[in-house]
Amino acid sequence: MIKTVFFTAISLIFFYIIWINNFFAHKEKYEMPAQYARIAEDVKSYAREGKQLFEQNCQACHSVRYDSVYISAVQANPKLKTLQEKYGKVLPKDVYEGVFNEDLMALKESFGKVPPDLSTIYLVKGKEYLFNFTLEPQKVLPGTSMPAVMTGRPEETAKIVAYLKSVSEPTPEEKSKRVLMGIGTIAYLVVMGILIWLWKGKILKRMGLH
Amino acid sequence: MLGRLGRWIDERAHLSELWQSQMVDYKVPKNLTFPYAFGIMALVAFAIQVISGIFLTMYYQPDVNKAFDSVNYTIMKEVPFMWLIRQVHAAGANFFLAVVYLHIFTGIYYNAYKKPRELTWIVGWLIYFVLLTTALTGYLLPWGQLSYWGMVVTAEIPTSIDSAPIIGKLKIGETISLWMKGGYEIGQITLGRFFGLHIWLLPLILLLLVGIHLYLVRAAGISNPEGREIDKKKEGVPFHPYITLKEGAYVMGYLAVFFFFVFFHMSHFLPADNYDPADPFKTPAHIAPEWYLLAYYTIFRSIPDKFLGFVAFNLSLLFLLLLPFLDFSPLKSARNRPLFFVMFVVLVISSMALTVLGTMPPTPTNAILGLLFTGGLFAFFLSLPLISIIEWGWYKARGGEKR
């Protein structure tokens, strides 16, 4: 009995540490004022406004390919439409980088590297980092070539973060559907498990094995 | 109608006879404990991986320019329900390995590797080894930063052979590293061969090995937590419905936990850094292998000499393979063996600690702790012959009677 408890406990603690919350691993934490965090979370109300802000402030250098938003120089290029008719709205990376190489190289010349595509950046960095970095790039990542475009405009920055979240994550309706699906699946399995267990008891009693 | 069709088939295929002889007349010990269910859970996990993997190959593109987008756009956003398949496959891989580890430790605890089951253990070890390779090759396919840099580090490991005194001159390590990568850098060729290995060769080998493993389990009979062989004619309960229903209920519980992670806690199985496309010019801050390799990685990294570290982590794998021959005691199951039980606890704590240490930055303190637990791991294997000799003494003193 003591052995069972010991091995169960040690296994559970082990998987809790490596799969759920590793308090031994070093993690960088960034703070975000609550009122802006609320804006960045609220995709429904702010994503559209955030996209406009993105077009005004970020699109000169950054693309969001998964939302078929390309850098301004490309967006103005008539070739884009022809390519999109052929490949779909989201151009394959090699086609995009091959055809619009000149525009991307022009950016590389001024910044030292091609500014990254931001399709999945929200999933990589999280809202706190994005908010702080966009507001004051030099403070968060000294030496970065990202210009301080949004400094002093925290609310608009939060809205842009909300837009990036809307690109990276499923929509709120889709999310709640998934939650429902998850609960349904788990409930089904738990009920089936209990039924099989009860059935087993019944059959074994009949067989005289209990 | 359906009954008649069934009888028609049965008269020709004799399926009910097969079922009767293989499932009902097959007797197993009545006292099988919960950990015995890890075997069937591993089988279920394998089936889940195969099925979800087949669907993923329909949309995945093994091309360095398209791989990342095919995973993160086509699969995750464009095609309905493919997000679920991917999440099942990603979490499934981790669950598969977790269950296999639990299965291995159960086998060690109940001494299921002893005569007449040595071959079952050896085939099981091969499954474990092929499974690690499958996991490793599959991890590269999403072509994210972690995939790419994890493989850069892994492909470097064999080169530590080259720092050995004499054989280092032959540059064997570099050759192995080149074979793994298919060139001097990780690129299209690497991705192509890893894809082929991951979806065809390795799963087929796994399938074959799992078949042999299951056959051997049946041929030698299932082990017993009490450590004695049962007389199948007199004791034992029918496999069906006793075990099928009991472990069926456990499998439902296992799947419930699995789907909890699939739907609500994917952050470990789809880590944030892997949503960043692979970039050979940007080294991430923390590169470490996946958790199921971390124990070996910590052994490798805490030993100051590169070559010795390489030898040590291969030795730990080799000892695991040779377990049936290191432990030649006549007694079976940790329930009857107090000395073995103590060393088993040392093994469990050491391997868990090595894994957790692998997630931590390599500070001097951690290196010493790593060495300490590496010592614990090897102490388990090296103490087995000693324990066996002592237990032969007890066995003889009791007049050789079986327990």
Side-chain angles (χ1 to χ4, degrees), chain B residues 282-306:
Chain B
K282 195 170 84 186
T283 321
H286 310 285
I287 315 169
E290 279 287 86
W291 67 271
Y292 38 80
L293 293 166
L294 278 180
Y296 301 114
Y297 178 67
T298 315
I299 295 176
F300 176 65
R301 147 178 116 160
S302 34
I303 292 173
D305 183 74
K306 251 184 129 182

PDB file of all heavy atoms in Angstrom, chain B residues 282-306:
ATOM      1  N   LYS B 282      19.771  32.000 -36.652  1.00  0.00           N
ATOM      2  CA  LYS B 282      19.317  32.500 -35.363  1.00  0.00           C
ATOM      3  C   LYS B 282      19.306  31.359 -34.360  1.00  0.00           C
ATOM      4  O   LYS B 282      18.437  30.501 -34.393  1.00  0.00           O
ATOM      5  CB  LYS B 282      17.906  33.086 -35.522  1.00  0.00           C
ATOM      6  CG  LYS B 282      17.448  33.940 -34.369  1.00  0.00           C
ATOM      7  CD  LYS B 282      16.170  34.670 -34.717  1.00  0.00           C
ATOM      8  CE  LYS B 282      14.951  33.812 -34.485  1.00  0.00           C
ATOM      9  NZ  LYS B 282      13.683  34.397 -34.919  1.00  0.00           N
ATOM     10  N   THR B 283      20.297  31.329 -33.462  1.00  0.00           N
ATOM     11  CA  THR B 283      20.359  30.253 -32.463  1.00  0.00           C
ATOM     12  C   THR B 283      19.474  30.617 -31.287  1.00  0.00           C
ATOM     13  O   THR B 283      19.647  31.673 -30.692  1.00  0.00           O
ATOM     14  CB  THR B 283      21.795  30.068 -31.954  1.00  0.00           C
ATOM     15  OG1 THR B 283      22.675  30.216 -33.050  1.00  0.00           O
ATOM     16  CG2 THR B 283      21.976  28.723 -31.321  1.00  0.00           C
ATOM     17  N   PRO B 284      18.522  29.758 -30.925  1.00  0.00           N
ATOM     18  CA  PRO B 284      17.702  30.054 -29.741  1.00  0.00           C
ATOM     19  C   PRO B 284      18.512  29.939 -28.449  1.00  0.00           C
ATOM     20  O   PRO B 284      19.568  29.293 -28.430  1.00  0.00           O
ATOM     21  CB  PRO B 284      16.589  29.006 -29.792  1.00  0.00           C
ATOM     22  CG  PRO B 284      17.040  27.961 -30.725  1.00  0.00           C
ATOM     23  CD  PRO B 284      18.115  28.517 -31.591  1.00  0.00           C
ATOM     24  N   ALA B 285      17.979  30.574 -27.382  1.00  0.00           N
ATOM     25  CA  ALA B 285      18.739  30.641 -26.131  1.00  0.00           C
ATOM     26  C   ALA B 285      18.895  29.267 -25.478  1.00  0.00           C
ATOM     27  O   ALA B 285      19.980  28.906 -25.045  1.00  0.00           O
ATOM     28  CB  ALA B 285      18.060  31.603 -25.173  1.00  0.00           C
ATOM     29  N   HIS B 286      17.817  28.516 -25.394  1.00  0.00           N
ATOM     30  CA  HIS B 286      17.892  27.212 -24.709  1.00  0.00           C
ATOM     31  C   HIS B 286      17.607  26.102 -25.710  1.00  0.00           C
ATOM     32  O   HIS B 286      16.508  26.036 -26.243  1.00  0.00           O
ATOM     33  CB  HIS B 286      16.866  27.129 -23.578  1.00  0.00           C
ATOM     34  CG  HIS B 286      16.908  28.315 -22.678  1.00  0.00           C
ATOM     35  ND1 HIS B 286      17.896  28.493 -21.756  1.00  0.00           N
ATOM     36  CD2 HIS B 286      16.106  29.393 -22.581  1.00  0.00           C
ATOM     37  CE1 HIS B 286      17.691  29.630 -21.117  1.00  0.00           C
ATOM     38  NE2 HIS B 286      16.611  30.197 -21.607  1.00  0.00           N
ATOM     39  N   ILE B 287      18.588  25.269 -25.950  1.00  0.00           N
ATOM     40  CA  ILE B 287      18.345  24.106 -26.790  1.00  0.00           C
ATOM     41  C   ILE B 287      18.518  22.871 -25.935  1.00  0.00           C
ATOM     42  O   ILE B 287      19.567  22.651 -25.348  1.00  0.00           O
ATOM     43  CB  ILE B 287      19.335  24.011 -27.965  1.00  0.00           C
ATOM     44  CG1 ILE B 287      19.486  25.368 -28.623  1.00  0.00           C
ATOM     45  CG2 ILE B 287      18.863  22.984 -28.974  1.00  0.00           C
ATOM     46  CD1 ILE B 287      20.631  25.402 -29.608  1.00  0.00           C
ATOM     47  N   ALA B 288      17.467  22.075 -25.847  1.00  0.00           N
ATOM     48  CA  ALA B 288      17.560  20.802 -25.128  1.00  0.00           C
ATOM     49  C   ALA B 288      16.690  19.810 -25.874  1.00  0.00           C
ATOM     50  O   ALA B 288      15.698  20.199 -26.492  1.00  0.00           O
ATOM     51  CB  ALA B 288      17.080  20.958 -23.690  1.00  0.00           C
ATOM     52  N   PRO B 289      17.040  18.520 -25.848  1.00  0.00           N
ATOM     53  CA  PRO B 289      16.184  17.528 -26.495  1.00  0.00           C
ATOM     54  C   PRO B 289      14.844  17.423 -25.780  1.00  0.00           C
ATOM     55  O   PRO B 289      14.646  18.004 -24.717  1.00  0.00           O
ATOM     56  CB  PRO B 289      16.977  16.225 -26.347  1.00  0.00           C
ATOM     57  CG  PRO B 289      18.299  16.589 -25.829  1.00  0.00           C
ATOM     58  CD  PRO B 289      18.213  17.933 -25.232  1.00  0.00           C
ATOM     59  N   GLU B 290      13.952  16.645 -26.377  1.00  0.00           N
ATOM     60  CA  GLU B 290      12.663  16.395 -25.749  1.00  0.00           C
ATOM     61  C   GLU B 290      12.850  15.633 -24.435  1.00  0.00           C
ATOM     62  O   GLU B 290      13.870  14.989 -24.218  1.00  0.00           O
ATOM     63  CB  GLU B 290      11.795  15.564 -26.696  1.00  0.00           C
ATOM     64  CG  GLU B 290      11.136  16.393 -27.757  1.00  0.00           C
ATOM     65  CD  GLU B 290      10.019  17.216 -27.172  1.00  0.00           C
ATOM     66  OE1 GLU B 290      10.290  18.323 -26.672  1.00  0.00           O
ATOM     67  OE2 GLU B 290       8.863  16.784 -27.224  1.00  0.00           O
ATOM     68  N   TRP B 291      11.836  15.663 -23.589  1.00  0.00           N
ATOM     69  CA  TRP B 291      11.975  15.126 -22.228  1.00  0.00           C
ATOM     70  C   TRP B 291      12.378  13.670 -22.200  1.00  0.00           C
ATOM     71  O   TRP B 291      13.106  13.240 -21.301  1.00  0.00           O
ATOM     72  CB  TRP B 291      10.682  15.331 -21.444  1.00  0.00           C
ATOM     73  CG  TRP B 291       9.532  14.525 -21.947  1.00  0.00           C
ATOM     74  CD1 TRP B 291       8.639  14.896 -22.909  1.00  0.00           C
ATOM     75  CD2 TRP B 291       9.160  13.206 -21.552  1.00  0.00           C
ATOM     76  NE1 TRP B 291       7.745  13.891 -23.131  1.00  0.00           N
ATOM     77  CE2 TRP B 291       8.037  12.841 -22.312  1.00  0.00           C
ATOM     78  CE3 TRP B 291       9.649  12.294 -20.622  1.00  0.00           C
ATOM     79  CZ2 TRP B 291       7.411  11.614 -22.189  1.00  0.00           C
ATOM     80  CZ3 TRP B 291       9.025  11.071 -20.499  1.00  0.00           C
ATOM     81  CH2 TRP B 291       7.919  10.740 -21.274  1.00  0.00           C
ATOM     82  N   TYR B 292      11.943  12.863 -23.218  1.00  0.00           N
ATOM     83  CA  TYR B 292      12.228  11.431 -23.141  1.00  0.00           C
ATOM     84  C   TYR B 292      13.684  11.113 -23.425  1.00  0.00           C
ATOM     85  O   TYR B 292      14.121   9.989 -23.271  1.00  0.00           O
ATOM     86  CB  TYR B 292      11.306  10.641 -24.069  1.00  0.00           C
ATOM     87  CG  TYR B 292      11.012  11.301 -25.393  1.00  0.00           C
ATOM     88  CD1 TYR B 292      11.919  11.245 -26.443  1.00  0.00           C
ATOM     89  CD2 TYR B 292       9.829  11.993 -25.585  1.00  0.00           C
ATOM     90  CE1 TYR B 292      11.642  11.852 -27.646  1.00  0.00           C
ATOM     91  CE2 TYR B 292       9.552  12.607 -26.781  1.00  0.00           C
ATOM     92  CZ  TYR B 292      10.453  12.533 -27.811  1.00  0.00           C
ATOM     93  OH  TYR B 292      10.181  13.152 -28.994  1.00  0.00           O
ATOM     94  N   LEU B 293      14.453  12.106 -23.899  1.00  0.00           N
ATOM     95  CA  LEU B 293      15.874  11.884 -24.121  1.00  0.00           C
ATOM     96  C   LEU B 293      16.730  12.596 -23.079  1.00  0.00           C
ATOM     97  O   LEU B 293      17.944  12.463 -23.063  1.00  0.00           O
ATOM     98  CB  LEU B 293      16.271  12.398 -25.505  1.00  0.00           C
ATOM     99  CG  LEU B 293      15.668  11.639 -26.686  1.00  0.00           C
ATOM    100  CD1 LEU B 293      15.840  12.433 -27.949  1.00  0.00           C
ATOM    101  CD2 LEU B 293      16.335  10.292 -26.820  1.00  0.00           C
ATOM    102  N   LEU B 294      16.065  13.375 -22.208  1.00  0.00           N
ATOM    103  CA  LEU B 294      16.824  14.259 -21.323  1.00  0.00           C
ATOM    104  C   LEU B 294      17.722  13.512 -20.350  1.00  0.00           C
ATOM    105  O   LEU B 294      18.804  13.991 -20.020  1.00  0.00           O
ATOM    106  CB  LEU B 294      15.870  15.172 -20.548  1.00  0.00           C
ATOM    107  CG  LEU B 294      15.407  16.398 -21.311  1.00  0.00           C
ATOM    108  CD1 LEU B 294      14.467  17.206 -20.438  1.00  0.00           C
ATOM    109  CD2 LEU B 294      16.575  17.259 -21.731  1.00  0.00           C
ATOM    110  N   ALA B 295      17.296  12.330 -19.888  1.00  0.00           N
ATOM    111  CA  ALA B 295      18.130  11.598 -18.929  1.00  0.00           C
ATOM    112  C   ALA B 295      19.471  11.264 -19.570  1.00  0.00           C
ATOM    113  O   ALA B 295      20.538  11.492 -18.985  1.00  0.00           O
ATOM    114  CB  ALA B 295      17.416  10.334 -18.467  1.00  0.00           C
ATOM    115  N   TYR B 296      19.436  10.767 -20.815  1.00  0.00           N
ATOM    116  CA  TYR B 296      20.676  10.438 -21.514  1.00  0.00           C
ATOM    117  C   TYR B 296      21.492  11.703 -21.776  1.00  0.00           C
ATOM    118  O   TYR B 296      22.713  11.716 -21.672  1.00  0.00           O
ATOM    119  CB  TYR B 296      20.378   9.737 -22.846  1.00  0.00           C
ATOM    120  CG  TYR B 296      19.591   8.469 -22.667  1.00  0.00           C
ATOM    121  CD1 TYR B 296      18.303   8.349 -23.151  1.00  0.00           C
ATOM    122  CD2 TYR B 296      20.146   7.391 -21.994  1.00  0.00           C
ATOM    123  CE1 TYR B 296      17.580   7.189 -22.975  1.00  0.00           C
ATOM    124  CE2 TYR B 296      19.428   6.228 -21.806  1.00  0.00           C
ATOM    125  CZ  TYR B 296      18.153   6.137 -22.302  1.00  0.00           C
ATOM    126  OH  TYR B 296      17.441   4.994 -22.115  1.00  0.00           O
ATOM    127  N   TYR B 297      20.769  12.754 -22.124  1.00  0.00           N
ATOM    128  CA  TYR B 297      21.427  14.033 -22.409  1.00  0.00           C
ATOM    129  C   TYR B 297      22.161  14.556 -21.172  1.00  0.00           C
ATOM    130  O   TYR B 297      23.287  15.050 -21.264  1.00  0.00           O
ATOM    131  CB  TYR B 297      20.362  15.022 -22.880  1.00  0.00           C
ATOM    132  CG  TYR B 297      20.849  16.410 -23.175  1.00  0.00           C
ATOM    133  CD1 TYR B 297      21.707  16.637 -24.238  1.00  0.00           C
ATOM    134  CD2 TYR B 297      20.433  17.496 -22.419  1.00  0.00           C
ATOM    135  CE1 TYR B 297      22.148  17.914 -24.536  1.00  0.00           C
ATOM    136  CE2 TYR B 297      20.857  18.772 -22.707  1.00  0.00           C
ATOM    137  CZ  TYR B 297      21.716  18.974 -23.759  1.00  0.00           C
ATOM    138  OH  TYR B 297      22.138  20.238 -24.039  1.00  0.00           O
ATOM    139  N   THR B 298      21.520  14.437 -20.003  1.00  0.00           N
ATOM    140  CA  THR B 298      22.166  14.901 -18.769  1.00  0.00           C
ATOM    141  C   THR B 298      23.399  14.064 -18.444  1.00  0.00           C
ATOM    142  O   THR B 298      24.425  14.604 -18.023  1.00  0.00           O
ATOM    143  CB  THR B 298      21.179  14.845 -17.590  1.00  0.00           C
ATOM    144  OG1 THR B 298      19.949  15.383 -18.013  1.00  0.00           O
ATOM    145  CG2 THR B 298      21.698  15.625 -16.411  1.00  0.00           C
ATOM    146  N   ILE B 299      23.298  12.737 -18.665  1.00  0.00           N
ATOM    147  CA  ILE B 299      24.478  11.878 -18.446  1.00  0.00           C
ATOM    148  C   ILE B 299      25.616  12.360 -19.344  1.00  0.00           C
ATOM    149  O   ILE B 299      26.751  12.545 -18.910  1.00  0.00           O
ATOM    150  CB  ILE B 299      24.137  10.408 -18.756  1.00  0.00           C
ATOM    151  CG1 ILE B 299      23.106   9.875 -17.771  1.00  0.00           C
ATOM    152  CG2 ILE B 299      25.399   9.548 -18.715  1.00  0.00           C
ATOM    153  CD1 ILE B 299      22.641   8.467 -18.067  1.00  0.00           C
ATOM    154  N   PHE B 300      25.266  12.583 -20.610  1.00  0.00           N
ATOM    155  CA  PHE B 300      26.254  13.000 -21.608  1.00  0.00           C
ATOM    156  C   PHE B 300      26.911  14.318 -21.220  1.00  0.00           C
ATOM    157  O   PHE B 300      28.115  14.496 -21.322  1.00  0.00           O
ATOM    158  CB  PHE B 300      25.551  13.125 -22.967  1.00  0.00           C
ATOM    159  CG  PHE B 300      26.411  13.644 -24.076  1.00  0.00           C
ATOM    160  CD1 PHE B 300      27.498  12.911 -24.524  1.00  0.00           C
ATOM    161  CD2 PHE B 300      26.129  14.862 -24.676  1.00  0.00           C
ATOM    162  CE1 PHE B 300      28.295  13.380 -25.556  1.00  0.00           C
ATOM    163  CE2 PHE B 300      26.923  15.337 -25.702  1.00  0.00           C
ATOM    164  CZ  PHE B 300      28.002  14.596 -26.139  1.00  0.00           C
ATOM    165  N   ARG B 301      26.092  15.240 -20.716  1.00  0.00           N
ATOM    166  CA  ARG B 301      26.588  16.583 -20.508  1.00  0.00           C
ATOM    167  C   ARG B 301      27.258  16.765 -19.153  1.00  0.00           C
ATOM    168  O   ARG B 301      28.120  17.644 -19.001  1.00  0.00           O
ATOM    169  CB  ARG B 301      25.382  17.497 -20.719  1.00  0.00           C
ATOM    170  CG  ARG B 301      25.244  18.731 -19.967  1.00  0.00           C
ATOM    171  CD  ARG B 301      24.017  19.454 -20.399  1.00  0.00           C
ATOM    172  NE  ARG B 301      23.085  19.534 -19.282  1.00  0.00           N
ATOM    173  CZ  ARG B 301      22.101  20.404 -19.201  1.00  0.00           C
ATOM    174  NH1 ARG B 301      21.863  21.219 -20.192  1.00  0.00           N
ATOM    175  NH2 ARG B 301      21.336  20.446 -18.156  1.00  0.00           N
ATOM    176  N   SER B 302      26.903  15.938 -18.136  1.00  0.00           N
ATOM    177  CA  SER B 302      27.520  16.196 -16.824  1.00  0.00           C
ATOM    178  C   SER B 302      28.886  15.543 -16.684  1.00  0.00           C
ATOM    179  O   SER B 302      29.624  15.877 -15.773  1.00  0.00           O
ATOM    180  CB  SER B 302      26.591  15.784 -15.682  1.00  0.00           C
ATOM    181  OG  SER B 302      25.840  14.674 -16.013  1.00  0.00           O
ATOM    182  N   ILE B 303      29.227  14.627 -17.596  1.00  0.00           N
ATOM    183  CA  ILE B 303      30.579  14.056 -17.551  1.00  0.00           C
ATOM    184  C   ILE B 303      31.508  14.975 -18.330  1.00  0.00           C
ATOM    185  O   ILE B 303      31.236  15.301 -19.499  1.00  0.00           O
ATOM    186  CB  ILE B 303      30.567  12.624 -18.123  1.00  0.00           C
ATOM    187  CG1 ILE B 303      29.784  11.725 -17.173  1.00  0.00           C
ATOM    188  CG2 ILE B 303      31.980  12.101 -18.337  1.00  0.00           C
ATOM    189  CD1 ILE B 303      29.534  10.349 -17.672  1.00  0.00           C
ATOM    190  N   PRO B 304      32.579  15.441 -17.670  1.00  0.00           N
ATOM    191  CA  PRO B 304      33.396  16.501 -18.284  1.00  0.00           C
ATOM    192  C   PRO B 304      34.006  16.107 -19.634  1.00  0.00           C
ATOM    193  O   PRO B 304      34.070  16.923 -20.546  1.00  0.00           O
ATOM    194  CB  PRO B 304      34.501  16.746 -17.251  1.00  0.00           C
ATOM    195  CG  PRO B 304      33.972  16.206 -15.978  1.00  0.00           C
ATOM    196  CD  PRO B 304      33.018  15.119 -16.319  1.00  0.00           C
ATOM    197  N   ASP B 305      34.417  14.847 -19.793  1.00  0.00           N
ATOM    198  CA  ASP B 305      35.047  14.443 -21.046  1.00  0.00           C
ATOM    199  C   ASP B 305      33.973  14.033 -22.056  1.00  0.00           C
ATOM    200  O   ASP B 305      33.082  13.244 -21.743  1.00  0.00           O
ATOM    201  CB  ASP B 305      36.005  13.271 -20.790  1.00  0.00           C
ATOM    202  CG  ASP B 305      36.730  12.871 -22.051  1.00  0.00           C
ATOM    203  OD1 ASP B 305      37.635  13.622 -22.444  1.00  0.00           O
ATOM    204  OD2 ASP B 305      36.369  11.845 -22.651  1.00  0.00           O
ATOM    205  N   LYS B 306      34.059  14.576 -23.263  1.00  0.00           N
ATOM    206  CA  LYS B 306      33.016  14.343 -24.262  1.00  0.00           C
ATOM    207  C   LYS B 306      32.893  12.869 -24.631  1.00  0.00           C
ATOM    208  O   LYS B 306      31.802  12.324 -24.702  1.00  0.00           O
ATOM    209  CB  LYS B 306      33.341  15.155 -25.521  1.00  0.00           C
ATOM    210  CG  LYS B 306      32.406  16.325 -25.729  1.00  0.00           C
ATOM    211  CD  LYS B 306      32.732  17.023 -27.026  1.00  0.00           C
ATOM    212  CE  LYS B 306      31.516  17.201 -27.874  1.00  0.00           C
ATOM    213  NZ  LYS B 306      31.810  17.822 -29.159  1.00  0.00           N
TER     214      LYS B 306
END
